[in-house]
Amino acid sequence: MNTNPTGSIRIALDAMGGDRAPKIVVQGAGIAQIRYPKAEFTFYGNEAEIAPLVAKQKNLRGRVAIVHTPDRISADDKPAIALRSGRNSSMRLAINAVSEGKADAVVSAGNTGALMGMAKFVLKTLPDIDRPAIIAFFPTMKGEAVMLDLGANIECTPENLVDFAVMGAIFANTVLGVHQPRIGLLNVGAEETKGREDVRIAAQELRALELPGEFIGYVEGDDITKGTVDVIVTDGFTGNVALKTAEGTAKMYTEFLKRTFKSSWLAQMGYIFARSAFQKLRKRIDPRTYNGALFVGLRGVCVKSHGGTDGIGFANAIGVAYDLVQYKFNDQISSRVHVMHEKIQALPSEIKTAQPEAVA
Amino acid sequence: MNTNPTGSIRIALDAMGGDRAPKIVVQGAGIAQIRYPKAEFTFYGNEAEIAPLVAKQKNLRGRVAIVHTPDRISADDKPAIALRSGRNSSMRLAINAVSEGKADAVVSAGNTGALMGMAKFVLKTLPDIDRPAIIAFFPTMKGEAVMLDLGANIECTPENLVDFAVMGAIFANTVLGVHQPRIGLLNVGAEETKGREDVRIAAQELRALELPGEFIGYVEGDDITKGTVDVIVTDGFTGNVALKTAEGTAKMYTEFLKRTFKSSWLAQMGYIFARSAFQKLRKRIDPRTYNGALFVGLRGVCVKSHGGTDGIGFANAIGVAYDLVQYKFNDQISSRVHVMHEKIQALPSEIKTAQPEAVA
């Protein structure tokens, strides 16, 4: 991580990524500038579009830099195309700024696949990390939890899952402030003998290692929202399906709730009485609060904001990036993961191979 | 399937399975007897407990049989133990009744793992079916959908997934009455080149085959509740995680809703006005309505009721069993799957192997 001598935290912003860019990016920076006075922003994108927006934000005027980039990556561009022909895009140049030491972190609300591909290609993975992962946080009945991998890796080895557990625990510690995060491995049952081989070996290894948190064993899909653990570890296929299933279920409930309040004259009256309470609920489960997925395991902080977010949501994504730089997230990962890998090497071989299913 | 000459449908009930057995089983049978006058019930379990309950149900008295069984499978018994030492249990003898032609279907609210293990061991799989799967139905924004496999198989071959698609479509047709069910394969993106190899090969095969429904391609986690398709096909690991994640998210929303209505005096007033509308919503998403998971692919109809259900929920599980017998669900599967396998044999080999990821 490149920290610079002045103590400021320099954040490169892909001003052209997201459904309503560059407007929400500039608005988000404006909000974040108030929250984090030490942040220094550089916008990458079309100067003619960005400059007038910056001029309107009193607290940004004269404080931020704009690097003009002629190209932008669109939401529909395939990652491979974006990587090859997007060398002068706002996304690419903002990522380059991190690899060149001009910025400490990059935030983009653009195309996820392109951002992942470019960030991996430009920033490279941290030493000892084989696969980067996507991590994000979301509401539970008890507070908040983080889950990874949400889609970067379709298949994972047990060692990838161990790395994810370590990175996830440090993330929960850094972003959620949980001192000793509880870590769970997503599976289809709580018994030791259940599940796919990769998951069972990972569990054996996690039980044998000293982690930056407490490994409590397997968790199931309903434990995610129960708040059983602070960190949920899984492969990118399962994680992506679980995340989207939860989002879909939440949308269905919100839709049913709306229909219910509109279904009769009495129900409409009821809503008028309960409105203020529901506004608080809406705030509690506001997706903007949970905005900011991170590509963990890269040499540099790269935060992905939801494409459809607004200024407040984008400011929250900037906040995630800011925290990770401030608390030297990547340095913590490097030191922990290196030790962990040495310990895995030293583990007895029966821990690193799947045990036959116990005959009860 | 064993249909008997009198036209009645004979259902064996594991009277000792479930959190509140045998009470909810007898109550459920009482409700189902009114809905399905042609159903004939036999209770398997402790006669001393069952007989007084039956005596209280006017419409069951004198119409049902009780087979006394000394043992019962508990919710904590491991499947392997249940299989070995549960030979005289209510669950086992109810399943045996189907294999011996004494009953057309079995319904149990007991231990899922034990029921699956015993049903597989006693009933065996249908000819041409390699792996049985767990299927269930649930609410969507547009109506209802079915998903399989929900946990019987941790890993699946492309051919297993094709069989699941066929069985799922026939199930949607039989239980939901959808004439030409839309089938989707669960994946992490909609593009053809996305996802695990087994999923991509299954998609190629499904596109090339004539199905008892329409294969619309890949669906993602949020499509489950959107109602994009009638049948969602996936392996048992992913399906189990998705199902439990959806259940957990639904519980969290219900909990947040309760807290919101209790959070202030005004909100409580609001609930009084909106109560009748919310009672309709509760009915719409009532888990009892969606009770009754089926083990598809076995020589016999075996329905699993939720363990925590009540009499109404158990009656709905009986209803699922009744429909499947009445519409000769297993005969339909056998005839379709056999033809399908011959067609898969005849497919060109490039369809049966994973194509390299297209470079865009």
Side-chain angles (χ1 to χ4, degrees):
Chain A
M1 191 148 312
N2 307 288
T3 40
N4 68 74
T6 66
S8 68
I9 288 176
R10 302 157 308 160
I11 299 176
L13 302 172
D14 169 12
M16 311 314 281
D19 302 348
R20 286 170 291 164
K23 199 176 160 196
I24 58 120
V25 177
V26 177
Q27 283 176 345
I31 296 163
Q33 188 72 79
I34 298 166
R35 293 186 193 163
Y36 310 103
K38 280 186 166 184
E40 279 181 13
F41 298 114
T42 304
F43 295 100
Y44 289 79
N46 188 328
E47 191 164 11
E49 289 182 59
I50 300 164
L53 294 165
V54 169
K56 275 192 227 160
Q57 297 262 349
K58 217 167 60 182
N59 63 329
L60 292 183
R61 219 184 297 153
R63 289 191 61 168
V64 298
I66 301 172
V67 174
H68 179 72
T69 66
D71 302 342
R72 67 168 80 186
I73 304 297
S74 91
D76 314 315
D77 283 339
K78 298 217 165 165
I81 294 199
L83 196 56
R84 247 184 302 131
S85 58
R87 287 194 191 86
N88 290 311
S89 65
S90 56
M91 185 185 277
R92 176 65 179 268
L93 293 174
I95 297 170
N96 286 355
V98 176
S99 77
E100 291 161 4
K102 293 180 197 156
D104 302 309
V106 51
V107 182
S108 172
N111 182 324
T112 309
L115 185 63
M116 181 81 205
M118 278 190 189
K120 242 168 107 170
F121 177 78
V122 173
L123 301 175
K124 314 277 188 257
T125 52
L126 283 170
D128 291 301
I129 294 287
D130 181 30
R131 301 282 196 96
I134 301 177
I135 188 167
F137 51 115
F138 45 83
T140 73
M141 281 197 236
K142 291 185 188 161
E144 289 168 301
V146 303
M147 178 155 78
L148 75 168
D149 173 20
L150 299 176
N153 308 284
I154 293 308
E155 281 168 298
C156 292
T157 64
E159 285 68 31
N160 294 151
L161 294 171
V162 171
D163 289 350
F164 295 171
V166 175
M167 297 194 288
I170 298 174
F171 186 83
N173 184 280
T174 307
V175 176
L176 302 182
V178 184
H179 175 59
Q180 184 77 348
R182 291 162 62 84
I183 305 161
L185 195 56
L186 196 58
N187 200 348
V188 295
E191 301 85 14
E192 266 190 47
T193 54
K194 281 248 178 170
R196 279 200 319 248
E197 195 176 293
D198 55 329
V199 175
R200 282 185 286 129
I201 297 175
Q204 287 167 191
E205 294 183 355
L206 286 168
R207 275 187 212 105
L209 293 166
E210 210 175 290
L211 299 164
E214 184 197 351
F215 178 59
I216 68 129
Y218 297 136
V219 291
E220 298 188 69
D222 51 345
D223 288 303
I224 301 173
T225 47
K226 252 188 221 163
T228 310
V229 290
D230 305 298
V231 183
I232 297 120
V233 176
T234 187
D235 65 274
F237 190 93
T238 314
N240 187 278
V241 168
L243 174 76
K244 288 188 176 156
T245 301
E247 285 177 351
T249 309
K251 263 188 208 155
M252 183 172 76
Y253 269 75
T254 307
E255 174 63 27
F256 283 172
L257 198 59
K258 274 189 203 156
R259 286 189 206 166
T260 301
F261 273 128
K262 283 185 187 159
S263 66
S264 72
W265 180 84
L266 272 177
Q268 282 175 9
M269 280 291 293
Y271 181 67
I272 293 169
F273 281 102
R275 181 158 48 193
S276 143
F278 272 92
Q279 274 160 355
K280 271 181 214 149
L281 172 61
R282 200 173 298 139
K283 211 173 160 185
R284 169 86 179 77
I285 54 176
D286 188 346
R288 292 180 304 181
T289 311
Y290 303 96
N291 191 25
L294 186 78
F295 297 130
V296 288
L298 296 177
R299 294 176 195 251
V301 170
C302 177
V303 171
K304 164 73 174 85
S305 159
H306 207 286
T309 198
D310 61 8
I312 294 174
F314 198 85
N316 290 334
I318 292 175
V320 172
Y322 190 92
D323 280 349
L324 294 170
V325 175
Q326 186 175 23
Y327 297 111
K328 301 190 192 309
F329 175 66
N330 274 354
D331 293 351
Q332 290 188 59
I333 288 181
S334 292
S335 59
R336 287 307 291 244
V337 165
H338 185 70
V339 178
M340 204 67 59
H341 283 206
E342 281 177 351
K343 284 187 184 155
I344 291 179
Q345 288 294 325
L347 287 177
S349 67
E350 64 266 28
I351 287 178
K352 291 183 274 184
T353 48
Q355 303 302 305
E357 280 217 27
V359 178
Chain B
M1 193 148 313
N2 307 289
T3 41
N4 69 73
T6 66
S8 68
I9 288 175
R10 303 157 309 160
I11 299 176
L13 302 172
D14 169 13
M16 310 314 280
D19 302 347
R20 287 170 290 166
K23 199 177 158 197
I24 58 119
V25 177
V26 178
Q27 282 176 346
I31 296 163
Q33 188 74 79
I34 298 166
R35 292 186 192 162
Y36 311 103
K38 281 187 165 183
E40 278 181 14
F41 298 113
T42 304
F43 294 100
Y44 290 80
N46 188 328
E47 189 163 12
E49 289 182 58
I50 300 164
L53 293 166
V54 168
K56 274 193 228 159
Q57 297 262 348
K58 217 168 59 182
N59 62 328
L60 292 182
R61 216 184 297 154
R63 288 191 61 168
V64 299
I66 301 172
V67 174
H68 179 71
T69 66
D71 302 342
R72 66 168 81 184
I73 304 297
S74 91
D76 315 314
D77 283 339
K78 297 218 166 166
I81 295 200
L83 197 57
R84 247 184 302 131
S85 59
R87 288 195 189 85
N88 291 312
S89 64
S90 56
M91 186 186 275
R92 176 65 178 267
L93 294 174
I95 296 170
N96 286 356
V98 176
S99 76
E100 292 160 2
K102 293 180 196 157
D104 302 310
V106 52
V107 182
S108 172
N111 184 323
T112 309
L115 186 63
M116 181 82 205
M118 280 189 187
K120 240 167 109 170
F121 177 77
V122 174
L123 301 175
K124 314 275 187 258
T125 52
L126 283 169
D128 291 301
I129 294 287
D130 181 31
R131 301 282 197 93
I134 301 176
I135 189 167
F137 51 115
F138 45 84
T140 73
M141 282 198 236
K142 292 186 189 160
E144 290 168 300
V146 304
M147 179 154 76
L148 77 169
D149 174 20
L150 299 177
N153 309 283
I154 293 305
E155 281 169 296
C156 293
T157 64
E159 285 67 31
N160 294 151
L161 294 171
V162 171
D163 288 351
F164 296 171
V166 175
M167 295 194 288
I170 298 173
F171 186 84
N173 184 280
T174 308
V175 177
L176 302 182
V178 185
H179 175 60
Q180 184 76 348
R182 290 163 62 85
I183 305 160
L185 196 54
L186 196 57
N187 200 348
V188 295
E191 302 84 14
E192 266 190 46
T193 55
K194 282 248 178 170
R196 280 200 319 251
E197 193 174 295
D198 55 330
V199 175
R200 282 184 287 131
I201 297 175
Q204 287 167 189
E205 294 183 355
L206 286 167
R207 274 187 212 106
L209 293 166
E210 209 174 290
L211 300 163
E214 185 198 349
F215 177 59
I216 69 128
Y218 296 136
V219 290
E220 298 187 69
D222 51 343
D223 287 304
I224 300 173
T225 47
K226 253 187 220 163
T228 310
V229 290
D230 304 298
V231 182
I232 297 120
V233 175
T234 187
D235 64 275
F237 190 93
T238 313
N240 188 278
V241 168
L243 175 76
K244 287 187 176 157
T245 301
E247 284 177 352
T249 309
K251 264 187 207 154
M252 183 172 77
Y253 268 76
T254 307
E255 174 62 27
F256 283 172
L257 198 59
K258 275 189 204 156
R259 287 188 205 166
T260 300
F261 273 127
K262 282 183 189 162
S263 65
S264 72
W265 181 84
L266 272 177
Q268 283 175 8
M269 280 292 292
Y271 181 67
I272 293 170
F273 281 103
R275 181 157 49 193
S276 142
F278 272 91
Q279 274 160 353
K280 272 181 212 149
L281 172 61
R282 201 173 298 139
K283 213 174 157 186
R284 169 85 179 78
I285 54 177
D286 188 346
R288 295 180 303 182
T289 311
Y290 303 96
N291 191 24
L294 185 78
F295 297 131
V296 287
L298 296 176
R299 293 175 195 255
V301 170
C302 177
V303 171
K304 164 74 174 84
S305 160
H306 206 285
T309 197
D310 62 7
I312 294 174
F314 198 85
N316 290 335
I318 292 175
V320 172
Y322 191 93
D323 280 349
L324 294 170
V325 175
Q326 186 175 23
Y327 297 112
K328 301 189 190 312
F329 175 66
N330 275 354
D331 293 351
Q332 289 188 59
I333 289 181
S334 293
S335 59
R336 286 307 291 246
V337 166
H338 184 71
V339 177
M340 203 67 59
H341 283 205
E342 282 178 350
K343 281 186 186 157
I344 291 179
Q345 289 293 326
L347 287 177
S349 66
E350 65 266 28
I351 287 179
K352 290 184 275 184
T353 48
Q355 303 303 304
E357 280 217 25
V359 178

